[in-house]
């Protein structure tokens, strides 16, 4: 019974099966790369950064190749690989990429080389870059895993390098921050472990046959009682809520961000925060539809709280990095809100924000890192009038800030708009309240910008260097994406949409009485059909 | 016409080229380059206009879709342009006035260290504004809407070293975002109700909409409009926005961006007529804003603040027209206002520049002989705004007031308040003209006055980083007329402000060119009152204007009545509305925010650390229990078993 649907999922990806090496490459290149770095003698300090850059760039190239080869009409998993691991327990190395995970994989691929290029290990480069490579491999593993145990293993693996990156290469209260980060996530993971084991066992009891931890199999043949499903969902939800993070489980984030080295903050924001929201889609909405519908009001409420509460707390921060960290709480609130609106627009918007928040907030952390490197402070009150001495940095900061605020035309907007539209469609008043978040986003960022870049240039600020050409060039790909994905997000949406529609369809089929919210009248399709519809008005 | 996309593309190209090459083109190359491309955009607009004119009235629509912007399930919007009489009229005056103001800025910004950056921003502004009006759907309009907002922010805080300028820029953006909330929710609700946000499809799909929903949608978009078009309760950013360079005030904060709200409601006109209550709200808010701002304008001493409040007041007139169902009258007044207000702002810029960047009118006086071109053109603008026939403002304002008069509810009262605003307008503008160009003496010659006011003058339209000496007004100062790059735009605008009335003369239907031109795209036409009524209304309006002028003449020229008796503190502070907001934000607002931040640091995080501490303490406390003695373990185990057993027995026996 279970095998037939697995076969079906493999068969559906038959046209891309020629690229079965893609996912193993995404995970193994950085993983083996970490081993290579470990083998380089410690005294060859000049080698580590270059080797790490080469490894991560090679991984990025594979990710981009996967994006190019991705069949945008296929809603199922592509590049699927499956090898038995512990066959007695039904655990297998099962991987695949669909529209939900594709761009998270690409984002992970792009962010690592940029973070490595933009920053340097302040000391002990060998373990620093080795850990970064492990982190990259682990992140790729989470986004591609299609087996609960494999997912869990990778979900846990990424904790270790991040713990060391914060604890050993961080600043300030780094040990406190690293321990808090580790314990907090472990706390959540304990619930996930219980949940996934219970789920597999209960599923076996319900359908008979062999035990399986296969996500696709469980998704397609879920037969566990509703109450048990809900309990399992709660277990997963606690783990993901810590990771997102959702109020009130968010306080590890500002400490971790603030004390992490710049590259750590960038990767934490860009990649690791997405593990939770990704889990909510893959193991939440997709695998456990009924509990997702059941819990949607609570999670949407937590999303809205995150949006507004995160923005308000961000406004009052005195440390620039902490401010950006709290802005992530707000942005990830939009993602959770969109996902649990259980509409096509909401989930597509959520996925879009996940990727673009990575680009935008990653850029913000790079910029804050540059300021810290020059001024050795992140206290907003110590900074003033930097635009006068660093006009290029100010210009770049302005662009990134406006993208973060959600200015249409830049990449922060399409996702935020769709998430809010979906929320409005799914739960009107949640959408309305969440939309006030756009006011607050403008408030905290513009106020911070004013205090840091505007006003008279005082004291040590007069001596600050502007961005160097090489620093600018490193950021250029991110800036280009910010503009490009703002005016032309269509290629992304085209690839995300089939998978999202399949998920929504799956939820509608699985949950009695649930239909995803749509306009009251038939919508006018204004894309392809429209230009023909109004062809007579277009005078050519 | 495949040219429509070029209209916004040309200024956008200027922006893209000026980012890397602006510094190389420098002063004045960058300025002329931007002027040229905006002028090119005007030429294309004119070509599209002529093309539309050559078509039959019901076929004057060019819809050009470039590509799909955001497709998601049933929702899909394009990057697409819609050139019809409404949008092309907007495009013509945006690019026309835009090109003139670019040219003016070539002279005005001369010598500024950030010369090329100014034109970079200004070009982006024009491009965004054109996207706003030419968009074929609400979301693309929103892109332009936010784009102009961002440019406004960048240009208000252009001289950012001055804290006040930076604050004003931020305030403008954040206040506008409150309005944007309305715009966004309005978009959501419209899409959920009729399944489209495309302007072409909206009219066809309004059949089943309920009045309640239509009212909600219109009011949400109107909230957006009160932000961008500076109406009650969100008008407070505009007076502060005068911190930007004066050409910015003229282009963005008088002629174009601030009219976006009127344009938006004009685009949503089919919906407006489904929501009569929303129309009433719009009319009354417009009227109240017109009155409050006119009262405030009476008591301002900063020349740009007078004009800023005047702009708010005139925008109120336009909303009064829209709310009364007179779309054409609203557009008409928007166009004439764009001409005369741009003229007045550019004139004030010329005055300010000639007076070493002093903006306090109490230090002006008798400038007429020093600034011949500026003063003549300014006086023409004054006649236009004061509503003196045959200047343009008279005709358009008259149409607005006639529409108010003939509106269903309390028409006479609306008209009466409108007439009062007209009187106040004539009064404060005459006051401005007398204090600046006429008056008994040249006030800056008085060293004591200069000392007292020059220091107290809170407002400084200048770059503090530039040569401080150049910005200091001396008693010996002799004002000089501005260069030709600045006076030519003044002359052109003065001509337009004088004659623009002919766009829509009321004498016979065939003279109503604007109405004939716009009518086919509007779903409802507005009935003007009969001719005799019109003549009486116009007569009263002329009397009011003349009374305003005469009153100001006696107070400020003849000085028969002390000005202090009119310029009350409440008026200086615009009825303390802004002050109230400021106090709420600085007091309770900040306190609540700080309270939440403290709650996060102490309660939420504290709870987590508390759990950690309890765990650690418990661990420490439990340490002695792990004595390693098997006997202790066995004892504990047995004690537990006994207790458990006891419990079970108890439960069973009851």
């Amino acid at each position: 019974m279970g095998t037939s649907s697995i076969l079906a999922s493999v068969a559906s990806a038959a046209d891309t099966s020629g690229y079965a090496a893609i996912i193993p490459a995404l995970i193994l290149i950085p993983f083996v790369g970490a081993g290579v770095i470990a083998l380089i003698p410690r005294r060859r300090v000049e080698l580590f950064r270059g080797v790490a850059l080469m490894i991560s760039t090679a991984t990025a190239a594979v990710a981009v190749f996967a994006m190019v080869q991705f069949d945008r009409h296929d809603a199922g998993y592509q590049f699927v690989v499956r090898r038995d691991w512990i066959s007695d327990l039904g655990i297998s190395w099962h991987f695949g990429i669909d529209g939900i995970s594709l761009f998270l994989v690409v984002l992970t691929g792009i962010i690592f080389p940029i973070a490595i290029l933009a920053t340097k290990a302040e000391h002990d480069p060998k373990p620093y870059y080795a850990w970064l490579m492990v982190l990259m491999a682990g992140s790729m593993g989470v986004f591609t895993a299609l087996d609960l145990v494999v997912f869990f293993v990778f979900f846990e693996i990424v904790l270790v390098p991040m713990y060391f990156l914060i604890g050993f290469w961080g600043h300030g209260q780094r040990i406190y921050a690293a321990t808090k980060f580790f314990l907090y996530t472990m706390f959540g993971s304990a619930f996930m472990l219980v949940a996934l084991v219970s789920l597999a066992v209960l599923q076996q009891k319900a359908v008979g046959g062999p035990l399986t931890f296969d996500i696709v199999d469980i998704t397609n043949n879920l037969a566990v009682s509703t109450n048990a499903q809900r309990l399992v969902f709660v277990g997963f939800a606690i783990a993901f809520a810590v990771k997102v993070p959702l109020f009130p489980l968010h306080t590890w984030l500002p400490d971790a961000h603030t004390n992490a080295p710049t590259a750590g903050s960038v990767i934490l924001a860009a990649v690791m925060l997405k593990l939770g929201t990704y889990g909510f889609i893959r193991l939440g909405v997709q695998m456990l539809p009924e509990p997702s519908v059941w819990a949607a009001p609570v999670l949407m409420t937590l999303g809205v709280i995150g949006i507004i509460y995160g923005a308000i707390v961000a406004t009052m921060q005195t440390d620039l990095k902490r401010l950006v960290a709290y802005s992530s709480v707000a942005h990830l609130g939009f993602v959770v809100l969109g996902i649990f609106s259980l509409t096509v627009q909401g989930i597509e918007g959520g996925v879009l924000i996940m990727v673009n928040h990575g680009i935008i907030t990653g850029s913000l952390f790079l910029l804050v890192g540059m300021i810290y490197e020059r001024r050795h402070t992140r206290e907003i009150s110590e900074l003033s009038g930097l635009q006068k001495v660093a006009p290029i940095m100010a210009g770049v900061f302005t662009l990134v800030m406006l993208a973060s605020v959600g200015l249409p035309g830049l990449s922060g907007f399409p996702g935020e708009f769709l998430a809010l539209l979906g929320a409005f469609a799914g739960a009107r008043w949640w959408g309305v309240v969440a939309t006030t978040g756009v006011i607050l986003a403008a408030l905290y960022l513009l106020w911070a910008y004013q205090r840091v870049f505007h006003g008279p240039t005082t004291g040590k600020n007069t001596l600050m260097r502007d961005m160097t050409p090489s620093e600018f060039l490193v950021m250029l790909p991110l800036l280009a994406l910010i503009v490009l994905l703002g005016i032309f997000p269509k290629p992304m949406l085209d690839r995300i949409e089939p998978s999202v529609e399949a998920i929504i369809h799956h939820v509608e089929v699985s949950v009695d009485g649930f239909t995803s919210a749509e306009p009251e009248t038939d919508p006018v399709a204004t894309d392809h059909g429209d230009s023909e519809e109004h062809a007579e008005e277009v005078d050519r | 016409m495949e040219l429509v996309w070029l209209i916004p593309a040309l200024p956008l190209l200027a922006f893209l080229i000026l980012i890397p090459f602006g510094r190389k083109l420098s002063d004045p190359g960058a300025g002329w380059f931007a002027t040229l491309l905006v002028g090119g955009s005007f030429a294309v607009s004119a070509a599209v206009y002529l093309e539309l004119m050559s078509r039959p009235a019901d076929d004057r629509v060019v819809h050009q879709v470039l590509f799909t912007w955001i497709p998601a399930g049933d929702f899909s919007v394009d990057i697409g342009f819609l050139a019809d009489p409404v949008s092309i009229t907007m495009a013509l005056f945006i690019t026309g006035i835009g090109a003139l103001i670019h040219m003016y800025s070539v002279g005005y910004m001369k010598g500024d260290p950030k010369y090329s950056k100014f034109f970079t921003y200004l070009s982006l502004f024009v491009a965004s504004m054109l996207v706003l009006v030419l968009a074929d759907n609400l979301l693309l309009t929103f892109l332009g809407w936010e784009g102009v907002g961002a440019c406004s922010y960048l240009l208000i805080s252009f001289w950012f070293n001055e804290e006040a300028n930076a604050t004003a820029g931020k305030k403008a953006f954040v206040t506008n975002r409150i309005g944007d909330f309305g715009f966004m929710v309005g978009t959501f609700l419209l899409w959920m109700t009729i399944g489209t946000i495309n302007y072409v499809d909206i009219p066809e799909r309004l059949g089943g909409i309920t009045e309640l929903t239509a009212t909600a949608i219109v009011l949400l978009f109107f909230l957006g409009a009160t932000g961008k078009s500076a109406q009650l309760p969100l008008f407070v950013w505009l007076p502060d926005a005068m911190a930007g360079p004066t050409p910015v005030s003229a282009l963005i904060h008088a002629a174009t961006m601030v009219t976006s709200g009127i344009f938006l409601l004009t685009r949503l006109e089919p919906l407006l007529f489904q929501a009569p209550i929303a129309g009433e709200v719009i009319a009354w808010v417009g009227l109240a804003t017109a009155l409050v701002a006119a009262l405030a304008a009476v008591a301002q001493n900063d020349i740009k603040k007078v004009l800023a409040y005047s702009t708010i007041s005139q925008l109120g007139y336009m909303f009064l027209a829209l709310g009364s169902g007179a779309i054409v009258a609203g557009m008409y007044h928007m166009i004439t206002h764009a001409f005369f207000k741009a003229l007045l702002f550019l004139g004030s810029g010329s005055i300010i520049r000639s007076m070493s960047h002093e903006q306090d009118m109490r230090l002006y006086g008798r400038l007429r002989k020093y600034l011949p071109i500026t003063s003549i053109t300014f006086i023409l603008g004054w006649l236009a705004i004061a509503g003196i026939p045959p200047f343009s403002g008279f005709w358009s304002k008259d149409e607005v007031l006639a529409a108010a008069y003939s509106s269903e509810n309390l028409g006479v009262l609306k008209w009466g308040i409108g007439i009062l605003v007209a009187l106040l307008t004539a009064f404060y503008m005459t006051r401005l003209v007398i204090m600046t160009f006429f008056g008994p003496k040249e006030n800056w010659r008085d060293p004591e006055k200069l000392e007292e006011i020059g220091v107290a003058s809170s407002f400084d339209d200048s770059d503090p980083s530039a040569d401080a000496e150049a910005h200091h007004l001396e008693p010996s100062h002799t004002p000089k007329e501005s260069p030709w790059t600045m006076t030519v735009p003044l002359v052109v605008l003065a001509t337009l402000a004088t004659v623009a009335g002919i766009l829509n003369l009321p004498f016979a239907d065939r003279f109503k060119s604007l109405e004939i031109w716009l009518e086919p795209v509007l779903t409802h036409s507005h009935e003007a009152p009969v001719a005799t009524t019109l003549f009486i209304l116009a007569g009263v309006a002329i009397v009011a204007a003349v009374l305003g002028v005469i009153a100001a003449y006696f107070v400020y020229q003849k000085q028969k009545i002390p000005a202090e008796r009119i310029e009350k503190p409440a008026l200086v502070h615009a009825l303390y509305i802004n002050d109230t907001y400021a106090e709420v934000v600085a007091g309770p607002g900040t306190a609540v925010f700080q309270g939440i931040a403290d709650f996060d640091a102490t309660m939420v995080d504290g709870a987590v650390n508390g759990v950690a501490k309890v765990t650690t303490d418990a661990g420490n406390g439990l340490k002695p229990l792990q004595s390693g003695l098997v006997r202790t373990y066995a004892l504990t185990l047995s004690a537990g078993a006994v207790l458990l057993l006891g419990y079970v027995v108890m439960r069973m026996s009851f």
Side-chain angles (χ1 to χ4, degrees), chain A residues 176 180 184 247-248 250-251 255 309 312-313 315-316 326 344-345 348 387-388 391 398 401-402 405-409 413-414 417-418 420-421 424-425 428 432 435-436 438-440 442-443 446-447 449-450 453-457 486-490 493-494 497 501 518-524 526-528 530-531 533-534 537-540, chain B residues 1-2 23 51 55 61-65 67-79 82 114 117 121 136 139 142-143 146-147 150 153-154 157 160-163 166-167 169-170 173-174 177-178 180-181 184-185 187-189 191-198 200-201 204-205 465 590 592-594 596-597 599-600 604-605 608-609:
Chain A
Y176 166 75
K180 192 169 180 178
Y184 231 127
F247 175 89
H250 63 276
T251 54
D255 286 319
Y309 181 89
I312 289 176
V313 180
T315 311
M316 302 316 289
Y326 272 105
V344 173
Q345 290 78 24
E348 279 191 52
Q387 188 167 343
K388 188 151 185 87
T398 304
M401 167 180 79
L402 292 175
V405 166
L407 200 79
F413 177 73
F417 177 81
L418 288 176
L420 287 171
L421 181 68
F424 187 85
R428 185 153 294 188
V432 172
T435 308
T436 58
V438 303
I439 305 170
L440 296 169
L443 180 66
L446 263 64
W447 190 32
Y449 185 88
Q450 180 190 349
F453 284 95
H454 285 161
T457 318
I487 53 171
F488 199 49
K490 185 170 180 289
L493 287 164
D494 283 348
E497 183 155 304
E501 282 186 335
E518 280 174 354
E520 287 155 28
T521 53
D522 287 339
V524 178
T526 29
D527 54 343
H528 317 289
D530 184 67
S531 42
E533 194 181 313
H534 300 288
E537 287 162 27
V538 182
D539 183 18
R540 290 190 188 279
Chain B
M1 286 292 273
E2 289 151 12
R23 276 181 177 276
E51 151 81 20
R55 295 190 189 189
V61 176
V62 176
H63 187 196
Q64 186 179 29
V65 175
F67 56 88
T68 305
W69 179 25
I70 303 180
D74 297 332
F75 180 84
S76 180
V77 288
D78 299 324
I79 302 285
L82 183 67
K114 296 201 297 164
K117 188 159 274 174
Y121 294 160
D136 76 345
L139 204 63
F142 190 60
L143 188 153
E146 291 284 282
Y153 161 71
L154 292 170
S157 47
F160 57 80
N161 279 129
E162 196 71 51
E163 205 69 69
T167 305
K170 180 192 66 193
F173 196 90
V174 175
R177 274 256 151 172
I178 299 173
D180 297 346
F181 162 80
M184 286 183 80
V185 178
T187 308
F188 302 152
L189 186 56
W191 184 71
M192 279 305 284
T193 312
I194 65 169
T196 183
I197 56 167
N198 191 300
V200 179
D201 301 315
E204 300 161 14
R205 302 181 68 93
S465 65
T590 310
V592 167
F593 271 45
Q594 190 60 55
I596 292 174
F599 169 78
D600 191 68
V604 182
D605 200 29
V608 174
N609 287 334

Side-chain angles (χ1 to χ4, degrees), chain B residues 35 67 76 98 209 326 425 438 475 496 504 543 572 575 594 631 633:
Chain B
T35 309
F67 56 88
S76 180
I209 199 167
T425 307
F438 301 95
L496 289 168
N504 214 38
V543 170
V572 176
L575 308 185
Q594 190 60 55
R631 267 180 305 171
Y633 291 159

Side-chain angles (χ1 to χ4, degrees), chain B residues 548-591:
Chain B
V549 172
I550 291 172
Y553 177 80
F554 276 105
V555 179
Y556 295 97
Q557 184 69 27
K558 292 283 165 198
Q559 305 196 331
K560 302 264 187 206
I561 305 160
E564 293 75 39
R565 281 182 56 191
I566 293 158
E567 299 167 14
K568 302 279 188 212
L571 301 186
V572 176
H573 290 268
L575 308 185
Y576 301 104
I577 294 169
N578 187 38
D579 305 61
T580 312
Y581 291 172
E583 262 173 45
V584 170
V585 168
T590 310

Side-chain angles (χ1 to χ4, degrees), chain B residues 20 46 102 178 186 193 245 252 286 321 363 382 424 460 471-472 475 481 544 557 642 651 654:
Chain B
H102 269 72
I178 299 173
T193 312
I252 302 184
L363 295 174
W382 162 61
L424 287 168
D460 188 17
H471 295 319
H472 194 66
E481 183 58 283
Q557 184 69 27
V642 168
R651 296 289 298 183
F654 284 99

Side-chain angles (χ1 to χ4, degrees), chain A residues 454-528:
Chain A
H454 285 161
T457 318
T458 51
K460 286 184 184 160
N461 294 312
T462 50
L463 303 172
M464 202 185 87
R465 281 181 300 120
D466 201 349
M467 264 172 126
T468 61
S470 58
E471 281 172 326
F472 180 76
L473 283 176
V474 171
M475 286 200 71
L476 195 58
L478 297 176
L479 304 181
L481 283 173
I482 284 173
V483 176
L484 183 72
L485 297 176
I487 53 171
F488 199 49
K490 185 170 180 289
M492 274 182 79
L493 287 164
D494 283 348
R495 284 162 180 79
I496 298 168
E497 183 155 304
S499 299
V500 172
E501 282 186 335
I503 290 176
I504 292 292
H505 178 72
H506 180 66
V507 177
E508 284 181 336
V509 171
S510 311
V511 183
D512 286 339
F514 173 79
T515 39
S516 182
E518 280 174 354
E520 287 155 28
T521 53
D522 287 339
V524 178
T526 29
D527 54 343
H528 317 289

